[in-house]
């Protein structure tokens, strides 16, 4: 199941990444700072990605999960800014840096989507119930 899910994630993720990168590059081309470009592309991409991933990869279309999704993509947004900054020191080009940062963020995105957002267990992944032994 996991390998099929990863294949679907890669296909949907490719579409999502292209959607994101086209928006990012277009806003950057219009003269905006890379941080603003990432912010706007992320905001627009959140809703597109949520529906695509929920429907075609994780088969979970519960709208209430959007809150977790937004939280995860806030983290992805911050990670993306940091990665673009560091890749730009290497490549000296925000277009190339944005491309490589998007690829790295896709890996984190799959893990967080699978285990935090669309998990069949609706409890947060870090939650473990406390069991009291011998107490009535």
């Amino acid at each position: 199941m996991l390998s099929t899910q990863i294949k679907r994630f890669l296909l949907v993720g490719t579409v999502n990444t292209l959607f994101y990168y086209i928006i990012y590059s277009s806003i950057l081309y219009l003269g905006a700072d890379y941080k603003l470009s990432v912010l706007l592309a992320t905001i627009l991409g959140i809703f597109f990605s949520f529906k695509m991933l929920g429907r075609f990869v994780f088969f979970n279309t519960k709208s209430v999960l959007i809150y977790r999704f937004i939280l995860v993509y806030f983290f992805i947004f911050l990670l993306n800014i940091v990665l673009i900054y560091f890749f730009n020191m290497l490549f000296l080009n925000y277009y190339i840096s944005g491309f490589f940062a998007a690829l790295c963020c896709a890996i984190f995105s799959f893990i967080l989507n699978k285990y935090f957002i669309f998990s069949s267990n609706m409890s947060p992944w870090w939650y473990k119930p406390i069991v009291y032994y011998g107490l009535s």
Side-chain angles (χ1 to χ4, degrees):
M1 162 107 176
L2 185 60
S3 65
T4 302
Q5 193 174 49
I6 289 174
K7 289 175 188 173
R8 286 192 312 263
F9 180 82
L10 290 174
L11 180 63
V12 170
T14 299
V15 172
N16 290 343
T17 302
L18 289 173
F19 180 81
Y20 164 85
Y21 188 71
I22 288 168
I23 293 170
Y24 166 80
S25 296
S26 299
I27 296 169
L28 194 63
Y29 179 77
L30 293 173
D33 182 68
Y34 79 95
K35 292 180 215 123
L36 179 61
S37 300
V38 169
L39 176 64
L40 295 176
T42 300
I43 289 170
L44 293 173
I46 281 174
F47 299 104
F48 181 76
S49 296
F50 178 71
K51 289 297 182 186
M52 295 288 288
L53 289 172
R55 180 165 307 221
F56 298 112
V57 178
F58 300 106
F59 304 116
N60 187 337
T61 57
K62 293 179 183 173
S63 296
V64 71
L65 297 176
I66 190 71
Y67 301 110
R68 286 184 184 193
F69 199 80
I70 289 170
L71 179 65
V72 163
Y73 276 87
F74 178 72
F75 168 75
I76 296 292
F77 164 74
L78 295 176
L79 178 64
N80 203 2
I81 294 292
V82 170
L83 289 174
I84 289 172
Y85 175 80
F86 285 112
F87 280 133
N88 196 56
M89 291 191 311
L90 178 65
F91 298 118
L92 301 175
N93 183 307
Y94 283 115
Y95 295 97
I96 295 171
S97 300
F99 176 77
F100 282 107
L103 293 177
C104 293
C105 286
I107 295 167
F108 286 100
S109 175
F110 176 77
I111 293 167
L112 292 171
N113 276 291
K114 179 164 180 58
Y115 296 106
F116 181 70
I117 298 170
F118 295 106
S119 172
S120 59
N121 175 6
M122 292 307 291
S123 297
W125 59 271
W126 67 86
Y127 174 76
K128 300 287 185 229
I130 298 172
V131 178
Y132 296 99
Y133 294 100
L135 299 175
S136 316

